[in-house]
Amino acid sequence: MAATQAAGALKRTPFYSMHVALGAKIVRFAGYEMPVTYPAGLIAEHKAVRERCGLFDVSHMGEFIIRGARAVDFVNYVTTNDVAALAFGQVHYSTILNDRGTIEDDCLVYRFADHIMMVVNASNVEKDFAHIARHAAKFDVALEDVSDDMGLLALQGPKAVSILQPLTSTDLSSMKYYHFAEGEVDGMPMIVSRTGYTGEDGFELYHDVAHSARLWNALMAGGNVTPCGLGARDTLRLEMGMALYGNDIDDTVTPLEANLGWLVKLKKGEFVGKPALERQKAQGVSRKLVGFTMSDRNIARHGYPVYCGGAASDIVRSGTMSPTLGIPIGTCYLPTPSAKEGTTFDVEIRGKRAPATVTKTPFYKDASHL
């Protein structure tokens, strides 16, 4: 199993011993003991992914397998994107909503020839499974949570192809973005996908946990891969303006408010949350998620108060000093009339208000390969 857990104890991924051996700083995250940084530090890890290649343990993510003649119909009903439009071997990003139209989770949906796989956030695995299982009977599908049996590594960076290709017969150069293939890596059965959460090229390697240690060693053997923790994963995804559940999106916001309207296919048929979104679309969205930048090294952290037009508006959802750009960046929700590029507002930092400017995302725009 990927992780064992006594009552109240934290889980560990199959790579935990590797992280400890490499001197990683271990923190509590989504019920797991996970590496946040390694001795080289967050900046070095971030830079490695932007310039060369980094390796992330993301085995804490949850995976559900859905089988049955109406598996596509079922996943179409419990998510917002159009699963029927996926070809075999294709992936898409989507959201899972409640009846209020707010976001229970964001997810990836993989369409195989004979089943569907949903990949969800670690902190929401049990909640998500219970949430979608309520609808399984009317579609006559079988749901299985395989999260504890599946390991997952993300190899990210411009050198990912050259590092992974010698280990697999799968033609990586012909694999399109947001597609996947079933094959082998170093002789181990593997699902190889090309999605990513960093703004760089790269691959996700889903595998049986029995192969985890061998896979890690195979990828690290050449000395060209930098192990990376949660810290670099967060700065990399924020530079790309990619949402993090629990920060930028949660069950208090809708996809339309979070600039994820492109994930909502209102014409595909009925799905959970559709009536609420139709009402909101007709009435107009009152707030929008925006990206912002700041000057003078004023770093806005998650939870800091945000003021627009002198009035309290929101809190900072995500915020950091961008390692690539060298400026503070962040996200928050603003009233729709103010959610325009160039609008200025204030963030309260240690009791003082500092100016911020609405900035179009992604902040980091050197991602032409995607």
Side-chain angles (χ1 to χ4, degrees):
M1 299 290 282
T4 56
Q5 185 177 33
L10 295 176
K11 291 185 177 183
R12 293 175 175 176
T13 77
F15 301 101
Y16 176 81
S17 62
M18 289 79 157
H19 305 320
V20 172
L22 289 170
K25 179 182 178 181
I26 304 295
V27 298
R28 177 174 187 155
F29 182 80
Y32 281 80
E33 291 185 89
M34 295 292 292
V36 64
T37 55
Y38 292 83
L42 184 153
I43 302 300
E45 294 169 31
H46 184 108
K47 187 175 180 179
V49 175
R50 288 279 180 252
E51 298 177 359
R52 299 179 302 279
C53 197
L55 185 64
F56 298 84
D57 172 12
V58 280
S59 302
H60 59 306
M61 299 293 282
E63 294 87 14
F64 305 153
I65 302 297
I66 301 96
R67 299 183 186 275
R70 299 191 64 197
V72 169
D73 296 336
F74 168 75
V75 181
N76 239 356
Y77 185 73
V78 298
T79 63
T80 58
N81 212 334
D82 189 1
V83 184
L86 288 174
F88 297 147
Q90 191 174 7
V91 193
H92 70 203
Y93 181 44
S94 193
T95 50
I96 302 169
L97 306 185
N98 52 44
D99 291 333
R100 303 189 310 278
T102 60
I103 304 172
E104 291 290 329
D105 206 358
D106 58 344
C107 65
L108 293 176
V109 177
Y110 285 68
R111 187 173 185 182
F112 293 77
D114 61 350
H115 67 278
I116 302 288
M117 180 170 74
M118 294 176 64
V119 182
V120 302
N121 285 295
S123 58
N124 294 331
V125 173
E126 292 183 8
K127 180 192 75 169
D128 288 351
F129 193 82
H131 181 72
I132 68 173
R134 295 181 295 124
H135 306 287
K138 60 187 171 188
F139 290 92
D140 193 26
V141 295
L143 305 183
E144 185 181 7
D145 179 359
V146 297
S147 306
D148 285 349
D149 299 315
M150 189 171 284
L152 177 57
L153 290 178
L155 186 70
Q156 296 282 297
K159 296 188 180 298
V161 172
S162 62
I163 289 168
L164 185 59
Q165 190 62 82
L167 296 173
T168 181
S169 59
T170 299
D171 183 3
L172 302 178
S173 63
S174 66
M175 184 182 294
K176 297 178 181 179
Y177 192 48
Y178 268 74
H179 285 70
F180 70 95
E182 296 178 88
E184 294 184 347
V185 172
D186 199 31
M188 295 170 279
M190 200 78 48
I191 299 168
V192 181
S193 75
R194 199 172 201 167
T195 60
Y197 193 54
T198 64
E200 299 299 333
D201 192 14
F203 302 91
E204 297 72 50
L205 304 172
Y206 296 86
H207 59 278
D208 187 296
V209 294
H211 304 302
S212 292
R214 180 178 158 194
L215 177 63
W216 177 277
N217 291 333
L219 293 170
M220 294 290 291
N224 299 315
V225 176
T226 299
C228 299
L230 295 171
R233 184 169 165 83
D234 192 51
T235 55
L236 289 158
R237 69 90 192 167
L238 183 52
E239 286 186 345
M240 289 302 297
M242 294 176 173
L244 174 64
Y245 193 87
N247 284 40
D248 311 286
I249 55 176
D250 54 33
D251 64 3
T252 69
V253 303
T254 72
L256 304 184
E257 295 168 333
N259 293 320
L260 297 175
W262 58 282
L263 301 179
V264 178
K265 303 299 190 291
L266 290 172
K267 296 181 180 179
K268 71 173 181 173
E270 296 305 311
F271 60 88
V272 178
K274 178 180 178 179
L277 294 187
E278 288 179 322
R279 288 192 298 271
Q280 185 178 56
K281 187 175 182 180
Q283 295 167 358
V285 177
S286 62
R287 61 175 178 168
K288 283 279 192 179
L289 182 66
V290 300
F292 66 82
T293 55
M294 303 186 75
S295 58
D296 300 325
R297 301 187 73 81
N298 290 308
I299 304 176
R301 303 294 187 185
H302 173 70
Y304 285 9
V306 170
Y307 297 86
C308 186
S313 173
D314 191 38
I315 59 170
V316 172
R317 298 303 179 119
S318 293
T320 193
M321 173 64 74
S322 165
T324 304
L325 305 176
I327 59 173
I329 60 175
T331 63
C332 68
Y333 285 85
L334 293 180
T336 300
S338 300
K340 298 176 182 177
E341 188 173 4
T343 298
T344 58
F345 60 97
D346 292 320
V347 177
E348 186 177 297
I349 302 176
R350 292 181 295 279
K352 296 182 179 180
R353 296 186 188 183
T357 303
V358 176
T359 305
K360 186 178 181 180
T361 58
F363 301 102
Y364 169 70
K365 297 179 173 63
D366 187 19
S368 58
H369 56 280
L370 301 181

